[in-house]
Amino acid sequence: MEPVPEDWQRALVIAAHPDDIEYGAASAVARWTRQGKDVRYVLATSGEAGIAGLPPAECGPLREQEERASARVVGVEVVEFLGHPDGRLVAGPELRRDLAAAIRRHRPEMVVTGHFGLTWFPGVLNSADHRALGLSVLDAVADAANEWIFPELTEQGLPPWPGVRWVAVSTTSPTHAVDVTDTVEAGVASLAEHRRYLEALAPDPVIDQARAQVESATAALPGFDRAAGFELYTFGG
């Protein structure tokens, strides 16, 4: 198991929903921000369809607020929401254009996104939004570097950005890992900021839910006592 490269200064973490980043990847983010790296978040949706019984008009702003608080726990101050509809992401030109625009705005060297396989485990279907988002992120990295695919972005003052060197995808079958031995607790605290969301999921105390989820997602990997696992894609850079 190889370590995820860390010879970069700026990362952009792209997720479908508030809370997606906090199930494991936030512990890696905490490590990176402690190294002095600039890490920023982009969320495709506001998660407005994510809490049963809470109307989207109320849920969206609440979940945005929880995500911003969660990000601050691990040293992230820039959090951007693209406003796509929760539960209805489509892997197509519109989403790719908005993601390419975000990549051009933030100009990262490392992009991090979530698992987009059909299933989490055999028989456990992954979210349609996750599937659409992850594939679109990979395409958008190439789009962001190409002056001809979305030329309107250049006209809007967003010139091509060919500087992405890697995309690290959270996955259940990792090829690379980030040592999070010293930042698991920060990851737990980050997920616990999604209080209203977690309260709707289960009656257990929020901190207990957060700890169980993060510790499960950052178990030992070969060569690492505690790790966030990723599949690494390399780009020209």
Side-chain angles (χ1 to χ4, degrees), residues 4 11 19-21 25 28 30 53 64 86 102-103 114 118 122 126 132 135 138 152-153 170 172 184 190 194 215 234:
V4 170
D19 82 85
D20 285 351
I21 299 166
E64 288 188 7
D86 185 13
I103 292 166
L118 179 62
N126 194 3
L135 184 60
L138 291 174
E152 66 270 25
L153 296 180
S170 294
T172 56
V184 169
S190 184
H194 293 276
E215 289 186 352
T234 302

PDB file of all heavy atoms in Angstrom, residues 4 11 19-21 25 28 30 53 64 86 102-103 114 118 122 126 132 135 138 152-153 170 172 184 190 194 215 234:
ATOM      1  N   VAL A   4      -0.414   8.213  -0.405  1.00  0.00           N
ATOM      2  CA  VAL A   4      -0.877   9.242  -1.332  1.00  0.00           C
ATOM      3  C   VAL A   4       0.188  10.335  -1.393  1.00  0.00           C
ATOM      4  O   VAL A   4       0.714  10.763  -0.354  1.00  0.00           O
ATOM      5  CB  VAL A   4      -2.219   9.835  -0.855  1.00  0.00           C
ATOM      6  CG1 VAL A   4      -2.600  11.075  -1.667  1.00  0.00           C
ATOM      7  CG2 VAL A   4      -3.318   8.786  -0.944  1.00  0.00           C
ATOM      8  N   ALA A  11      -5.352  21.569  -2.522  1.00  0.00           N
ATOM      9  CA  ALA A  11      -6.267  20.477  -2.879  1.00  0.00           C
ATOM     10  C   ALA A  11      -7.687  21.002  -2.933  1.00  0.00           C
ATOM     11  O   ALA A  11      -8.069  21.924  -2.194  1.00  0.00           O
ATOM     12  CB  ALA A  11      -6.181  19.343  -1.867  1.00  0.00           C
ATOM     13  N   ASP A  19     -21.650  16.125   4.490  1.00  0.00           N
ATOM     14  CA  ASP A  19     -21.346  14.937   5.289  1.00  0.00           C
ATOM     15  C   ASP A  19     -20.551  13.895   4.513  1.00  0.00           C
ATOM     16  O   ASP A  19     -19.897  13.050   5.112  1.00  0.00           O
ATOM     17  CB  ASP A  19     -22.571  14.282   5.943  1.00  0.00           C
ATOM     18  CG  ASP A  19     -23.356  13.360   5.017  1.00  0.00           C
ATOM     19  OD1 ASP A  19     -22.979  12.173   4.892  1.00  0.00           O
ATOM     20  OD2 ASP A  19     -24.355  13.801   4.432  1.00  0.00           O
ATOM     21  N   ASP A  20     -20.567  13.905   3.167  1.00  0.00           N
ATOM     22  CA  ASP A  20     -19.827  12.892   2.410  1.00  0.00           C
ATOM     23  C   ASP A  20     -18.335  12.905   2.746  1.00  0.00           C
ATOM     24  O   ASP A  20     -17.702  11.859   2.891  1.00  0.00           O
ATOM     25  CB  ASP A  20     -19.988  13.108   0.902  1.00  0.00           C
ATOM     26  CG  ASP A  20     -21.351  12.699   0.365  1.00  0.00           C
ATOM     27  OD1 ASP A  20     -22.123  12.093   1.128  1.00  0.00           O
ATOM     28  OD2 ASP A  20     -21.630  12.997  -0.811  1.00  0.00           O
ATOM     29  N   ILE A  21     -17.763  14.092   2.861  1.00  0.00           N
ATOM     30  CA  ILE A  21     -16.330  14.225   3.099  1.00  0.00           C
ATOM     31  C   ILE A  21     -15.955  13.700   4.483  1.00  0.00           C
ATOM     32  O   ILE A  21     -14.867  13.145   4.684  1.00  0.00           O
ATOM     33  CB  ILE A  21     -15.896  15.700   2.955  1.00  0.00           C
ATOM     34  CG1 ILE A  21     -16.177  16.199   1.532  1.00  0.00           C
ATOM     35  CG2 ILE A  21     -14.422  15.885   3.311  1.00  0.00           C
ATOM     36  CD1 ILE A  21     -16.095  17.707   1.375  1.00  0.00           C
ATOM     37  N   ALA A  25     -12.547  10.866   4.756  1.00  0.00           N
ATOM     38  CA  ALA A  25     -11.603  11.759   4.074  1.00  0.00           C
ATOM     39  C   ALA A  25     -11.229  12.969   4.912  1.00  0.00           C
ATOM     40  O   ALA A  25     -10.119  13.493   4.796  1.00  0.00           O
ATOM     41  CB  ALA A  25     -12.183  12.212   2.732  1.00  0.00           C
ATOM     42  N   ALA A  28      -7.958  12.799   6.640  1.00  0.00           N
ATOM     43  CA  ALA A  28      -6.819  13.115   5.774  1.00  0.00           C
ATOM     44  C   ALA A  28      -6.691  14.621   5.583  1.00  0.00           C
ATOM     45  O   ALA A  28      -5.578  15.173   5.592  1.00  0.00           O
ATOM     46  CB  ALA A  28      -6.972  12.412   4.429  1.00  0.00           C
ATOM     47  N   ALA A  30      -7.515  16.919   7.686  1.00  0.00           N
ATOM     48  CA  ALA A  30      -6.928  17.479   8.907  1.00  0.00           C
ATOM     49  C   ALA A  30      -5.414  17.324   8.902  1.00  0.00           C
ATOM     50  O   ALA A  30      -4.677  18.239   9.308  1.00  0.00           O
ATOM     51  CB  ALA A  30      -7.532  16.795  10.132  1.00  0.00           C
ATOM     52  N   GLY A  53     -38.678  14.245   6.759  1.00  0.00           N
ATOM     53  CA  GLY A  53     -39.561  15.094   7.534  1.00  0.00           C
ATOM     54  C   GLY A  53     -39.174  16.558   7.569  1.00  0.00           C
ATOM     55  O   GLY A  53     -39.941  17.382   8.082  1.00  0.00           O
ATOM     56  N   GLU A  64     -25.936  23.177   4.828  1.00  0.00           N
ATOM     57  CA  GLU A  64     -24.808  24.029   4.445  1.00  0.00           C
ATOM     58  C   GLU A  64     -24.096  24.564   5.686  1.00  0.00           C
ATOM     59  O   GLU A  64     -22.862  24.578   5.755  1.00  0.00           O
ATOM     60  CB  GLU A  64     -25.279  25.187   3.567  1.00  0.00           C
ATOM     61  CG  GLU A  64     -25.688  24.783   2.164  1.00  0.00           C
ATOM     62  CD  GLU A  64     -25.956  25.981   1.280  1.00  0.00           C
ATOM     63  OE1 GLU A  64     -25.697  27.121   1.716  1.00  0.00           O
ATOM     64  OE2 GLU A  64     -26.428  25.779   0.134  1.00  0.00           O
ATOM     65  N   ASP A  86     -30.320  17.891  -5.022  1.00  0.00           N
ATOM     66  CA  ASP A  86     -29.971  16.704  -4.257  1.00  0.00           C
ATOM     67  C   ASP A  86     -30.807  15.520  -4.722  1.00  0.00           C
ATOM     68  O   ASP A  86     -32.025  15.610  -4.865  1.00  0.00           O
ATOM     69  CB  ASP A  86     -30.243  16.985  -2.773  1.00  0.00           C
ATOM     70  CG  ASP A  86     -29.806  15.858  -1.858  1.00  0.00           C
ATOM     71  OD1 ASP A  86     -29.069  14.968  -2.315  1.00  0.00           O
ATOM     72  OD2 ASP A  86     -30.207  15.891  -0.681  1.00  0.00           O
ATOM     73  N   ALA A 102     -15.213  25.093 -11.259  1.00  0.00           N
ATOM     74  CA  ALA A 102     -14.699  25.109  -9.886  1.00  0.00           C
ATOM     75  C   ALA A 102     -13.212  24.780  -9.860  1.00  0.00           C
ATOM     76  O   ALA A 102     -12.431  25.406  -9.125  1.00  0.00           O
ATOM     77  CB  ALA A 102     -15.483  24.124  -9.025  1.00  0.00           C
ATOM     78  N   ILE A 103     -12.799  23.810 -10.655  1.00  0.00           N
ATOM     79  CA  ILE A 103     -11.380  23.452 -10.714  1.00  0.00           C
ATOM     80  C   ILE A 103     -10.565  24.623 -11.253  1.00  0.00           C
ATOM     81  O   ILE A 103      -9.477  24.928 -10.742  1.00  0.00           O
ATOM     82  CB  ILE A 103     -11.185  22.183 -11.563  1.00  0.00           C
ATOM     83  CG1 ILE A 103     -11.803  20.974 -10.839  1.00  0.00           C
ATOM     84  CG2 ILE A 103      -9.711  21.943 -11.874  1.00  0.00           C
ATOM     85  CD1 ILE A 103     -11.981  19.750 -11.707  1.00  0.00           C
ATOM     86  N   GLY A 114     -15.311  11.254  -3.839  1.00  0.00           N
ATOM     87  CA  GLY A 114     -15.818  10.066  -3.167  1.00  0.00           C
ATOM     88  C   GLY A 114     -15.995   8.862  -4.079  1.00  0.00           C
ATOM     89  O   GLY A 114     -15.937   8.951  -5.315  1.00  0.00           O
ATOM     90  N   LEU A 118     -20.627   1.222  -8.503  1.00  0.00           N
ATOM     91  CA  LEU A 118     -22.039   0.853  -8.468  1.00  0.00           C
ATOM     92  C   LEU A 118     -22.489   0.456  -7.071  1.00  0.00           C
ATOM     93  O   LEU A 118     -23.593   0.795  -6.635  1.00  0.00           O
ATOM     94  CB  LEU A 118     -22.307  -0.298  -9.442  1.00  0.00           C
ATOM     95  CG  LEU A 118     -23.748  -0.811  -9.506  1.00  0.00           C
ATOM     96  CD1 LEU A 118     -24.706   0.283  -9.985  1.00  0.00           C
ATOM     97  CD2 LEU A 118     -23.836  -2.038 -10.425  1.00  0.00           C
ATOM     98  N   PRO A 122     -20.793  -5.899  -2.235  1.00  0.00           N
ATOM     99  CA  PRO A 122     -21.747  -6.691  -3.014  1.00  0.00           C
ATOM    100  C   PRO A 122     -23.142  -6.652  -2.402  1.00  0.00           C
ATOM    101  O   PRO A 122     -23.335  -6.924  -1.221  1.00  0.00           O
ATOM    102  CB  PRO A 122     -21.143  -8.103  -2.956  1.00  0.00           C
ATOM    103  CG  PRO A 122     -19.675  -7.860  -2.832  1.00  0.00           C
ATOM    104  CD  PRO A 122     -19.543  -6.653  -1.950  1.00  0.00           C
ATOM    105  N   ASN A 126     -24.620   1.857  -4.192  1.00  0.00           N
ATOM    106  CA  ASN A 126     -24.135   3.205  -3.932  1.00  0.00           C
ATOM    107  C   ASN A 126     -25.182   4.223  -4.390  1.00  0.00           C
ATOM    108  O   ASN A 126     -25.999   3.949  -5.278  1.00  0.00           O
ATOM    109  CB  ASN A 126     -22.815   3.435  -4.673  1.00  0.00           C
ATOM    110  CG  ASN A 126     -22.059   4.670  -4.213  1.00  0.00           C
ATOM    111  OD1 ASN A 126     -22.476   5.366  -3.286  1.00  0.00           O
ATOM    112  ND2 ASN A 126     -20.941   4.941  -4.858  1.00  0.00           N
ATOM    113  N   ALA A 132     -22.806   9.522 -10.105  1.00  0.00           N
ATOM    114  CA  ALA A 132     -22.736  10.577 -11.119  1.00  0.00           C
ATOM    115  C   ALA A 132     -21.599  11.554 -10.828  1.00  0.00           C
ATOM    116  O   ALA A 132     -20.875  11.990 -11.737  1.00  0.00           O
ATOM    117  CB  ALA A 132     -24.067  11.323 -11.182  1.00  0.00           C
ATOM    118  N   LEU A 135     -17.574  10.136 -11.347  1.00  0.00           N
ATOM    119  CA  LEU A 135     -17.179  10.024 -12.751  1.00  0.00           C
ATOM    120  C   LEU A 135     -17.065  11.405 -13.393  1.00  0.00           C
ATOM    121  O   LEU A 135     -16.129  11.674 -14.167  1.00  0.00           O
ATOM    122  CB  LEU A 135     -18.193   9.163 -13.507  1.00  0.00           C
ATOM    123  CG  LEU A 135     -17.876   8.872 -14.972  1.00  0.00           C
ATOM    124  CD1 LEU A 135     -16.550   8.133 -15.101  1.00  0.00           C
ATOM    125  CD2 LEU A 135     -19.004   8.060 -15.599  1.00  0.00           C
ATOM    126  N   LEU A 138     -13.713  13.149 -12.524  1.00  0.00           N
ATOM    127  CA  LEU A 138     -12.589  12.708 -13.351  1.00  0.00           C
ATOM    128  C   LEU A 138     -12.641  13.357 -14.735  1.00  0.00           C
ATOM    129  O   LEU A 138     -11.617  13.819 -15.263  1.00  0.00           O
ATOM    130  CB  LEU A 138     -12.595  11.191 -13.476  1.00  0.00           C
ATOM    131  CG  LEU A 138     -12.277  10.407 -12.202  1.00  0.00           C
ATOM    132  CD1 LEU A 138     -12.464   8.916 -12.443  1.00  0.00           C
ATOM    133  CD2 LEU A 138     -10.860  10.689 -11.721  1.00  0.00           C
ATOM    134  N   GLU A 152     -16.758  28.875 -23.043  1.00  0.00           N
ATOM    135  CA  GLU A 152     -17.439  29.962 -22.344  1.00  0.00           C
ATOM    136  C   GLU A 152     -16.808  30.232 -20.980  1.00  0.00           C
ATOM    137  O   GLU A 152     -16.895  31.348 -20.453  1.00  0.00           O
ATOM    138  CB  GLU A 152     -18.935  29.656 -22.195  1.00  0.00           C
ATOM    139  CG  GLU A 152     -19.280  28.468 -21.308  1.00  0.00           C
ATOM    140  CD  GLU A 152     -19.347  27.152 -22.054  1.00  0.00           C
ATOM    141  OE1 GLU A 152     -18.690  27.036 -23.112  1.00  0.00           O
ATOM    142  OE2 GLU A 152     -20.055  26.246 -21.575  1.00  0.00           O
ATOM    143  N   LEU A 153     -16.158  29.227 -20.394  1.00  0.00           N
ATOM    144  CA  LEU A 153     -15.516  29.455 -19.102  1.00  0.00           C
ATOM    145  C   LEU A 153     -14.344  30.426 -19.240  1.00  0.00           C
ATOM    146  O   LEU A 153     -14.134  31.289 -18.378  1.00  0.00           O
ATOM    147  CB  LEU A 153     -15.036  28.130 -18.506  1.00  0.00           C
ATOM    148  CG  LEU A 153     -16.117  27.106 -18.168  1.00  0.00           C
ATOM    149  CD1 LEU A 153     -15.492  25.850 -17.580  1.00  0.00           C
ATOM    150  CD2 LEU A 153     -17.148  27.697 -17.200  1.00  0.00           C
ATOM    151  N   SER A 170     -11.894   8.234  -2.675  1.00  0.00           N
ATOM    152  CA  SER A 170     -12.187   7.362  -1.539  1.00  0.00           C
ATOM    153  C   SER A 170     -12.830   6.083  -2.061  1.00  0.00           C
ATOM    154  O   SER A 170     -13.728   6.141  -2.907  1.00  0.00           O
ATOM    155  CB  SER A 170     -13.139   8.051  -0.567  1.00  0.00           C
ATOM    156  OG  SER A 170     -12.544   9.172   0.029  1.00  0.00           O
ATOM    157  N   THR A 172     -13.558   1.543  -1.313  1.00  0.00           N
ATOM    158  CA  THR A 172     -13.475   0.363  -0.449  1.00  0.00           C
ATOM    159  C   THR A 172     -12.354  -0.578  -0.892  1.00  0.00           C
ATOM    160  O   THR A 172     -12.074  -1.561  -0.214  1.00  0.00           O
ATOM    161  CB  THR A 172     -14.818  -0.397  -0.460  1.00  0.00           C
ATOM    162  OG1 THR A 172     -15.165  -0.722  -1.809  1.00  0.00           O
ATOM    163  CG2 THR A 172     -15.926   0.466   0.143  1.00  0.00           C
ATOM    164  N   VAL A 184      -7.495  11.137  13.484  1.00  0.00           N
ATOM    165  CA  VAL A 184      -8.801  10.466  13.553  1.00  0.00           C
ATOM    166  C   VAL A 184      -9.768  11.256  14.425  1.00  0.00           C
ATOM    167  O   VAL A 184     -10.948  11.425  14.083  1.00  0.00           O
ATOM    168  CB  VAL A 184      -8.644   9.024  14.064  1.00  0.00           C
ATOM    169  CG1 VAL A 184     -10.005   8.422  14.404  1.00  0.00           C
ATOM    170  CG2 VAL A 184      -7.955   8.158  13.028  1.00  0.00           C
ATOM    171  N   SER A 190     -15.272  16.441  13.243  1.00  0.00           N
ATOM    172  CA  SER A 190     -15.797  17.038  12.021  1.00  0.00           C
ATOM    173  C   SER A 190     -17.143  16.423  11.644  1.00  0.00           C
ATOM    174  O   SER A 190     -18.107  17.136  11.341  1.00  0.00           O
ATOM    175  CB  SER A 190     -14.779  16.860  10.895  1.00  0.00           C
ATOM    176  OG  SER A 190     -15.190  17.505   9.713  1.00  0.00           O
ATOM    177  N   HIS A 194     -22.327  17.453  11.978  1.00  0.00           N
ATOM    178  CA  HIS A 194     -23.566  17.205  11.225  1.00  0.00           C
ATOM    179  C   HIS A 194     -24.631  16.672  12.192  1.00  0.00           C
ATOM    180  O   HIS A 194     -25.211  15.600  11.988  1.00  0.00           O
ATOM    181  CB  HIS A 194     -23.299  16.211  10.094  1.00  0.00           C
ATOM    182  CG  HIS A 194     -22.398  16.749   9.036  1.00  0.00           C
ATOM    183  ND1 HIS A 194     -22.854  17.528   7.992  1.00  0.00           N
ATOM    184  CD2 HIS A 194     -21.050  16.659   8.875  1.00  0.00           C
ATOM    185  CE1 HIS A 194     -21.826  17.879   7.227  1.00  0.00           C
ATOM    186  NE2 HIS A 194     -20.728  17.366   7.745  1.00  0.00           N
ATOM    187  N   GLU A 215     -14.013   5.660  12.660  1.00  0.00           N
ATOM    188  CA  GLU A 215     -13.059   4.597  12.984  1.00  0.00           C
ATOM    189  C   GLU A 215     -13.181   3.430  12.015  1.00  0.00           C
ATOM    190  O   GLU A 215     -12.174   2.816  11.639  1.00  0.00           O
ATOM    191  CB  GLU A 215     -13.253   4.152  14.431  1.00  0.00           C
ATOM    192  CG  GLU A 215     -12.789   5.212  15.435  1.00  0.00           C
ATOM    193  CD  GLU A 215     -12.837   4.741  16.866  1.00  0.00           C
ATOM    194  OE1 GLU A 215     -13.375   3.625  17.115  1.00  0.00           O
ATOM    195  OE2 GLU A 215     -12.346   5.468  17.738  1.00  0.00           O
ATOM    196  N   THR A 234      -3.663   9.480 -11.969  1.00  0.00           N
ATOM    197  CA  THR A 234      -2.606  10.428 -12.275  1.00  0.00           C
ATOM    198  C   THR A 234      -2.912  11.165 -13.567  1.00  0.00           C
ATOM    199  O   THR A 234      -3.355  10.572 -14.558  1.00  0.00           O
ATOM    200  CB  THR A 234      -1.262   9.702 -12.415  1.00  0.00           C
ATOM    201  OG1 THR A 234      -0.991   8.996 -11.179  1.00  0.00           O
ATOM    202  CG2 THR A 234      -0.131  10.671 -12.682  1.00  0.00           C
TER     203      THR A 234
END
